Amino acid sequence: MSWLSDTLTSTIGRKLVMSLTGLFLIIFLVVHLAGNFQLLADDGGLAFNAYAKFMTSNPIIKFTSYGLYAFILIHIIMSIALAVKNKNARPVGYDKVKGSANSSFSSRNMGILGFIIFVFLVIHLRNFWYEMHWGSIPMDEAGNKDLYAVVNAAFAEWWYVAIYVACMVGLAFHLSHGFSSAFQTLGVNHSKYTPFIKKLGIVYAILIPAAFASIPVIMFFNS
Amino acid sequence: MNLESKIPEGPLAEKWTNHKFNVKLVNPANKRKYDVIVVGTGLAGASASASLAELGYNVKAFCFQDSPRRAHSIAAQGGINAAKNYQNDGDSVFRLFYDTIKGGDYRSREANVYRLAEVSVNIIDQCVAQGVPFAREYGGLLANRSFGGAQVSRTFYARGQTGQQLLLGAYSALSRQVANGKVELFPRTEMLDLVMVDGKAKGIVTRNLVTGKIESHSAHAVVLATGGYGNVFYLSTNAMGSNVTAAWRAHKKGALMANPCYTQIHPTCIPVSGDHQSKLTLMSESLRNDGRVWVPATKELAEKIRKKEIHPNDLSEDERDYYLETKYPAFGNLVPRDVASRNAKYVCDEGRGVNESGKAVYLDFRDAINRDGEDTIAGKYGNLFDMYRQITGSNPYKEPMTIYPAVHYTMGGLWVDYNLKTNIDGLYATGESNFSDHGANRLGASALMQGLADGYFVIPYTIGNYLAGEKYETIGTDHEAFKEAEKAVKDNIEKLLSIKGTKSVDHYHKELGKVIWDYCGMSRTAEGLNKAKDMVKELRADFWKNVKVLGSNEEFNSSLEKASRVSDFLELGELMIDDALHREESCGGHFREEHQTPEGEAKRNDEDFAYVAAWEYNGPEKPETLHKEQLIFENVKLTQRSYK
Amino acid sequence: MKFKLKIWRQKNNQDKGAFKTYELDGVSSDMSFLEMIDVLNEQLIDKDEDPVHFDHDCREGICGMCSMYINGEPHGPLRGVTTCQLHMRSFQDGETITIEPWRAKAFPIVKDLAVDRSAFDRVIQAGGYVSVNTGGTPDANEIPIPKSVADEAFNAATCIGCGACVAACKNASAMLFVSAKVSQLSMLPQGQVERSERAEKMVAQMDEEGFGACTNTGACSAECPKGIDLSNIARMNREYLGAKVGSQS
């Protein structure tokens, strides 16, 4: 299997890993968002709590979620490995660099944007995911953990909402390059389809983070 | 000295085939016992290195550039000729041979030229097999275009970058042999002397251009593929680094220099814009397929254009003089280069030139764009138009280009026999560095053909004939001859560095260029040449007294590199003048005003000058000795070249 | 025109190097960038100072030798040109121009602005060719190639190996250079035989030389004097991954 380790440690192989894990996370975001929308249902959080219960107890979902954790970690670790390699490829930098002349802001700052998302992830997981699994959360009327109340409490704090929104902006920039870049790395570059993929990537990068951000904003004003 | 051309016996069309059969062969197992040095990695050098290494010889390849891929063959734009007759328009090996001999104004060897035409077809096959992306028709077959001096379409091309694509093909073949361990590559290394042992070339002395280290390299044979000497003019279309040093140092070791006065002035270059100019840029001759050359009909109109009072687009048909079409109805804008250049000079001398300098004529695409549309023209010449626009700041889609002749190619070079061997045993010269195939004028798209013919298909056969008779043992670089050559090289460098004068190397180069351009350029007179000879002598003397070369040998030192090259140009310049002076006729690129037809065309003197003038070096500041190789024409009739 | 030139000076590979600033007056807008440096060098020689060393040769934008990083961009602010084809009319009178060498671990500095790009040669040596010996090749018209394919291969083949892609890339990646050659030969019928082996070997050599990875910023293609397209990189990714997965060993 040395060919596999050869492949995955080559620059192209590492990018392939970034691309595949990235695409998986892109799909995950849609699923996650669909769930989040239940926060807006006018039922005191019953639907959302039931959904949260399902997501933490269904064996298939559970299995998938381990994959998700792994992918997030691989995406992060690989990006660090690549960043180190890339840094080494230019030990002495330029005095003056005019990056804006030849490339987009996002494409040049995927690492920083990724770091913002990482920080968000830590906060986010600590507040909700950790609480859901190991925290002491009261039960709702239907006998499910009342995660809704936890979320609602968090989204009542203006600073929490502000951080959330800011991080979604970071995510938007990350996605605006990451979406189409993932396809390019996979070798999908076609005169007919690439323009569409690029547009779709931009639409996705705006729509999904905006939708995510809208939830805490709405809940903040409702509270 | 008896110059033996070694032309094989037999009918013209069978000479090369017979010769290939008759040459001695080296057993495949023994080829690895022979080392060959190839200096230069352009079309001729890279193709020779690759082909010799494929055969099994151990090759050492040298170039002064940082990579073999950068040799100046890369800049050839228009195309490469081959007698494929894919167009069914009457081409044949004999026609290509005939056109080349006639284009060269009957000053080349029949046998060499015929061989060139014969192997031309193999070159295209070879290049396509290497993955050279030639232009193609919609049906998937190769496309051709027509070129100056021919009435058939036999030029293969890759947009305006044919030289680049062919060179990258040869470079890839070379790279493959480097990977195979059969070629050792020496980039940023310049040959500074030839080493001879018992009258045979046995190696070279080089300078590492980064560290300054002087090194010796021993081999069984040395191939010089070092290009032409057009940079003697300072302003030329050659690369900045193109030089005569390797060839000239070989000349000083006894190799004869043939026809040095034959220089080609290319008609379609971007005109000079000021004193700062460091080089001239050529616009491919292929532009003459669709562009029409003209100047204003009268001096008055030209004057107004120069002062920018009127715009060329505003001139009516009557006010335009399409002088090539009028004067040469059969060939029109596609007359050979020398004719096109000279006529541009004439109209400018008459005061009808344009641009602020008055030294430019128009090349107009208006009619072609109206006929075929801008897209078609852009498809054919897009990159050339862009380049023109880049350099001049003017848009050739909207207004006519301005062009003027510039030095482009040197037909003269080291004298070689039919085997491409110089008069020194073991020393070969290929491509532009030899004199052999183009006579007094080279046709467009023939330089690429010759470089690759020599490297891929000629030298691999002929060098074996010589090596087969050589012992396997190499002479060590500790041999006295190497030590002496190294010392001479070091002394020369020391001398240059110790002058510590006041004038830069470029100053001398520019001065020399001006003298040669003015008196030994597009047209020459005995009076001017005599004057120029004194001027060059004086300049050379001054150079060795007052040149300023900074720094030391043991570093990357661009001034030192240039100084060494310019010192050789200063000697070559005088020989060019001598050669031009002695040749009392006009032929091809050599136009002596004293010898012209009543219509102002070159007038040859076949009675007295149908020979190759090969010059022998006799020592510093001594006149060189002229040797003549009579040219025998058995298959073509010598006629006054006419393109009317 | 008048300029302030901030130029990287470094005597040799071992030297630390530093910027030095020069004032230059009397520059014509018709001069090429290199001719402007020529003028500076003549003045330096006049003052017994070591002239600025830089690589250059053909000065018509095709040899790929010139390599200056000007005001934060390889080959300067203009698109589709090399340094030698950049003219001073592209600059403002009185401007300060910063000139640096290509910066990459794989391109060590030789002197001042000249760098060693032999890494590119080694990448080509790893497989950037079709293994045909001289002679014995079939007739050139034996295999028809669709014009669109030939044109596309040509576009990739126009790479001049100057290294601007590496210089422009924030990761000093050579993907555009390598992919141009991989693409050219993978598209042509002549290149099919060694197609997968070529992609594997060239990529391995590229990594070996210490170039960075591709982040798909597109800076390489934007700065490429020959406009080599980013789709070549995608094609190389395909070729490479396909080769790795599909090959027998």
Side-chain angles (χ1 to χ4, degrees), chain B residues 5-251:
Chain B
S5 60
K6 306 250 176 68
I7 294 170
E9 294 298 315
L12 186 65
E14 288 162 30
K15 281 181 196 289
W16 178 233
T17 313
N18 290 342
H19 189 62
K20 281 195 287 187
F21 181 72
N22 289 329
V23 291
K24 279 182 270 179
L25 298 178
V26 179
N27 174 316
N30 289 337
K31 288 200 177 91
R32 71 174 72 98
K33 294 174 183 161
Y34 291 109
D35 304 335
V36 180
I37 283 172
V38 180
V39 185
T41 58
L43 287 179
S47 58
S49 293
S51 303
L52 292 172
E54 284 162 11
L55 287 174
Y57 298 112
N58 310 308
V59 177
K60 282 183 166 186
F62 295 82
C63 66
F64 70 80
Q65 297 91 344
D66 71 332
S67 161
R69 66 180 293 151
R70 311 209 195 279
H72 199 52
S73 305
I74 202 144
Q77 299 169 350
I80 176 165
N81 288 331
K84 282 282 197 188
N85 193 29
Y86 282 160
Q87 304 305 322
N88 193 31
D89 59 356
D91 200 10
S92 63
V93 169
F94 193 86
R95 189 176 296 281
L96 175 53
F97 153 76
Y98 180 81
D99 287 348
T100 308
I101 284 271
K102 179 187 173 198
D105 223 355
Y106 306 99
R107 288 293 174 265
S108 42
R109 267 190 215 135
E110 278 191 344
N112 282 53
V113 177
Y114 192 87
R115 174 178 64 191
L116 176 67
E118 200 178 331
V119 302
S120 69
V121 296
N122 304 100
I123 296 172
I124 305 302
D125 299 344
Q126 185 65 33
C127 295
V128 167
Q130 288 169 345
V132 170
F134 282 118
R136 287 178 182 268
E137 306 286 0
Y138 283 102
L141 301 182
L142 292 160
N144 289 117
R145 56 165 62 139
S146 53
F147 240 70
Q151 285 173 311
V152 293
S153 285
R154 63 160 76 97
T155 305
F156 294 79
Y157 62 100
R159 218 166 295 169
Q161 286 151 260
T162 318
Q164 182 200 25
Q165 294 309 314
L166 296 177
L167 182 63
L168 293 182
Y171 161 75
S172 72
L174 172 68
S175 298
R176 176 173 156 242
Q177 294 307 318
V178 173
N180 283 349
K182 290 306 289 181
V183 174
E184 194 182 350
L185 209 55
F186 294 86
R188 292 199 198 263
T189 307
E190 181 162 24
M191 165 180 164
L192 291 181
D193 210 353
L194 176 73
V195 179
M196 312 242 300
V197 176
D198 302 331
K200 287 180 176 176
K202 287 292 178 191
I204 60 172
V205 174
T206 60
R207 177 172 181 270
N208 179 316
L209 297 180
V210 176
T211 63
K213 195 166 176 223
I214 307 295
E215 283 177 314
S216 286
H217 301 271
S218 157
H220 294 90
V222 175
V223 179
L224 298 184
T226 51
Y229 48 83
N231 266 352
V232 67
F233 288 86
Y234 184 72
L235 283 183
S236 81
T237 65
N238 284 10
M240 301 304 285
S242 301
N243 66 78
V244 76
T245 291
W248 191 254
R249 305 268 163 112
H251 174 59

Side-chain angles (χ1 to χ4, degrees), chain B residues 538-551:
Chain B
E538 241 170 74
L539 196 63
R540 191 167 61 230
D542 190 57
F543 173 89
W544 286 105
K545 255 186 260 158
N546 290 317
V547 73
K548 182 176 190 175
V549 187
L550 297 172

Side-chain angles (χ1 to χ4, degrees), chain A residues 6-78:
Chain A
D6 274 5
T7 308
L8 295 180
T9 51
S10 70
T11 44
I12 295 180
R14 288 181 192 189
K15 291 301 298 179
L16 173 75
V17 172
M18 288 302 285
S19 156
L20 291 176
T21 49
L23 283 173
F24 179 84
L25 296 175
I26 283 172
I27 295 166
F28 162 72
L29 282 180
V30 180
V31 178
H32 189 340
L33 180 65
N36 280 14
F37 270 128
Q38 296 176 74
L39 283 166
L40 298 179
D42 197 15
D43 61 355
L46 285 177
F48 178 76
N49 289 341
Y51 161 74
K53 168 90 196 275
F54 173 75
M55 292 302 277
T56 47
S57 55
N58 180 294
I60 296 171
I61 301 283
K62 258 190 137 160
F63 177 76
T64 314
S65 70
Y66 291 127
L68 171 68
Y69 307 147
F71 281 176
I72 292 175
L73 280 177
I74 292 171
H75 196 76
I76 292 168
I77 291 166
M78 202 53 106

